[in-house]
Amino acid sequence: MKAVDARGFFSSANALEFEDYLLLDYVFECQGDPELAAAHLCSEQSTAQWKRVNVSEDYRPRFAAKVLSLDTQACPSGFSSPVVELGDGEVYRCKVRIAHPHANFGPRLPNLLSAVLGEGAFFAPGIPLIKLLDIQFPDSFLSAFQGPRFGIQGLRERLQVENRPIFFGVIKPNIGLPPEPFAELGYQAWTGGLDIAKDDEMLADVQWSPLAERARLLGAARMRAEQETGVPKIYLANITDELDRLIDLHDTAVAAGAGAVMLNAWPMGLSAARMLSAYTKVPMVAHFPVIAGMSRLPFFGVHTRVMTKLQRLAGFDVIIMPGFGARMMTPAAEVQACIDACLDPTFGNIKPSLPVPGGSDSAATLEAVYNLVGSADFGFVPGRGVFSHPQGPAAGARSLHQAWAAISAGVPMAEAAKDRPELKAALETFG
């Protein structure tokens, strides 16, 4: 690409109508001229060859992605990760903001991903390392999406839960139990105060625990727990599977008593989730397999904030994400960025999704998570913290309510635990 041609992939902000563009923030490492690399990045994800040979035309004004800003710094030690040898030349790390005309792909998630995370981004000449950090969507694009059917408030209304986190629990062992003992564990946790008992993301429609039978028994256990406690409960069924089974598994689980369904969002695909969101009459929950494999390196892949925004667009009412603490190997600022992406009130008319930052949680970690989130609009999802509580799942669930009561009253957790044996055992076991 000649230098004079490269300038056709640059623009100023005041020269564009932003309702026509997505704003993309990337960080990349390149060898050679950063401006030329940025122009290649825009070209490869939009027009590529922008005119026919020997024809006087230029498709860039209408179709080209354009660089709005480019900040560069030299990297004397070379690329941050080993890459295919590119030859000699100084290495630069660049942050670039690109305006991409969304008419190129329309309000279609597979086509959007193909443009901004496809060949054009990851095989742009001279750029072996690149990471998509953020996407900003104009209202003209967001208006084509329904987003979450229920959102946070709809889920709260179903559960009759206000002014506190929603308490999930991952029934454990995650894939090792047949339906009967699995349902009994769910029942015990519900009677102790758990709002939502859920399948683990690893538990599918398997021989030792068929979804139809599991959902039937969990549905019956849920109804029994509701009658005894007088408050609504939800069984969250994992229906992740091949696409051609998705609707049948959904119908089977919901008819048997599942009050919500869970998809492993990226293995299933966002388009599948968007289709199911338009079909289902129960809340839809996302889990995060594959996400770490796409996001963990600092200068390669895609930031989890982008994935969260796209899951919200696809219609997930609840988004489970890697949470705080060393166990999940995700920086606190990144977790917070995903929470903010769930709750952002400027996301067109799309309802907020309930953020559920998860990973080795229990009553012992509830206060820290609440302080980091900064509000009660989150889901809290212990596994062992409920189902490995030394006094049993009902006590594990009660310990969550006891911890929240202490937080709400401003009472130190250790002080509150003195006359609450379930909380005391949770702090001693998991603290």
Side-chain angles (χ1 to χ4, degrees):
M1 184 183 296
K2 298 177 181 178
V4 64
D5 295 339
R7 296 311 307 172
F9 294 98
F10 284 73
S11 181
S12 62
N14 58 15
L16 301 179
E17 175 52 64
F18 278 110
E19 283 297 313
D20 296 335
Y21 292 85
L22 304 188
L23 297 183
L24 311 172
D25 292 324
Y26 291 95
V27 60
F28 66 80
E29 293 180 356
C30 69
Q31 194 166 44
D33 180 4
E35 288 196 2
L36 183 59
H40 274 304
L41 175 58
C42 288
S43 171
E44 294 297 322
Q45 67 177 252
S46 58
T47 62
Q49 181 178 328
W50 49 269
K51 67 181 294 294
R52 289 169 291 175
V53 176
N54 297 325
V55 177
S56 179
E57 62 187 6
D58 188 347
Y59 285 109
R60 290 175 298 181
R62 178 177 177 184
F63 295 106
K66 295 178 180 292
V67 175
L68 298 184
S69 64
L70 180 65
D71 298 319
T72 68
Q73 66 179 79
C75 299
S77 57
F79 291 106
S80 59
S81 298
V83 297
V84 174
E85 187 62 42
L86 296 181
D88 297 328
E90 191 168 7
V91 173
Y92 295 90
R93 182 174 301 146
C94 307
K95 287 188 176 181
V96 61
R97 170 161 286 190
I98 290 172
H100 193 130
H102 55 76
N104 284 357
F105 38 79
R108 304 172 183 90
L109 293 173
N111 306 81
L112 163 63
L113 290 172
S114 297
V116 305
L117 285 173
E119 179 182 349
F122 285 86
F123 294 89
I127 304 178
L129 296 177
I130 185 168
K131 187 167 187 174
L132 177 59
L133 299 178
D134 202 0
I135 302 181
Q136 294 182 41
F137 302 97
D139 287 344
S140 58
F141 188 79
L142 294 174
S143 64
F145 291 83
Q146 173 183 295
R149 179 184 291 269
F150 297 91
I152 296 174
Q153 192 53 41
L155 187 61
R156 287 194 178 282
E157 289 171 1
R158 286 207 159 199
L159 289 166
Q160 297 178 16
V161 171
E162 296 291 344
N163 302 316
R164 68 162 171 84
I166 293 175
F167 294 138
F168 293 67
V170 187
I171 302 175
K172 301 287 187 177
N174 54 355
I175 60 173
L177 287 178
E180 292 82 359
F182 197 79
E184 176 60 25
L185 288 174
Y187 165 75
Q188 292 177 25
W190 279 318
T191 59
L194 200 67
D195 300 309
I196 300 174
K198 66 179 289 294
D199 293 342
D200 190 84
E201 82 276 8
M202 294 292 291
L203 181 58
D205 182 30
V206 290
Q207 182 180 359
W208 63 87
S209 184
L211 178 65
E213 181 66 3
R214 191 168 76 241
R216 182 182 71 82
L217 294 177
L218 266 295
R222 173 191 60 78
M223 291 178 63
R224 187 155 53 104
E226 287 179 341
Q227 291 168 356
E228 293 180 16
T229 63
V231 295
K233 307 291 181 183
I234 286 177
Y235 163 53
L236 173 55
N238 181 18
I239 60 171
T240 300
D241 208 297
E242 297 292 346
L243 181 58
D244 60 359
R245 300 194 68 214
L246 186 59
I247 296 298
D248 285 345
L249 290 175
H250 166 276
D251 291 350
T252 296
V254 173
V261 292
M262 184 173 80
L263 298 182
N264 295 339
W266 289 89
M268 283 298 307
L270 295 176
S271 188
R274 189 180 181 188
M275 177 271 294
L276 187 65
S277 177
Y279 174 83
T280 188
K281 300 298 188 292
V282 300
M284 193 172 72
V285 178
H287 208 287
F288 57 81
V290 178
I291 281 179
M294 301 166 65
S295 64
R296 185 162 292 165
L297 293 179
F299 302 112
F300 188 81
V302 54
H303 196 286
T304 50
R305 163 179 48 217
V306 173
M307 302 187 194
T308 303
K309 289 183 176 183
L310 293 173
Q311 287 173 93
R312 186 175 169 189
L313 266 187
F316 282 106
D317 300 283
V318 177
I319 300 175
I320 303 174
M321 61 190 68
F324 300 104
R327 162 76 169 79
M328 303 311 291
M329 294 182 280
T330 305
E334 184 170 347
V335 180
Q336 188 62 58
C338 292
I339 292 169
D340 292 344
C342 287
L343 303 176
D344 182 4
T346 66
F347 210 60
N349 292 320
I350 293 176
K351 295 175 182 174
S353 304
L354 181 77
V356 184
S360 296
D361 282 310
S362 69
T365 64
L366 179 57
E367 185 171 25
V369 173
Y370 167 65
N371 289 336
L372 288 165
V373 174
S375 81
D377 270 338
F378 68 98
F380 192 66
V381 61
R384 295 174 185 86
V386 169
F387 293 97
S388 292
H389 190 284
Q391 297 168 7
R398 279 195 293 272
S399 72
L400 303 181
H401 286 270
Q402 292 167 354
W404 182 252
I407 293 166
S408 299
V411 177
M413 204 63 63
E415 178 81 15
K418 289 179 180 178
D419 58 356
R420 294 173 176 83
E422 298 91 346
L423 180 57
K424 183 174 186 293
L427 298 183
E428 291 174 347
T429 304
F430 307 112

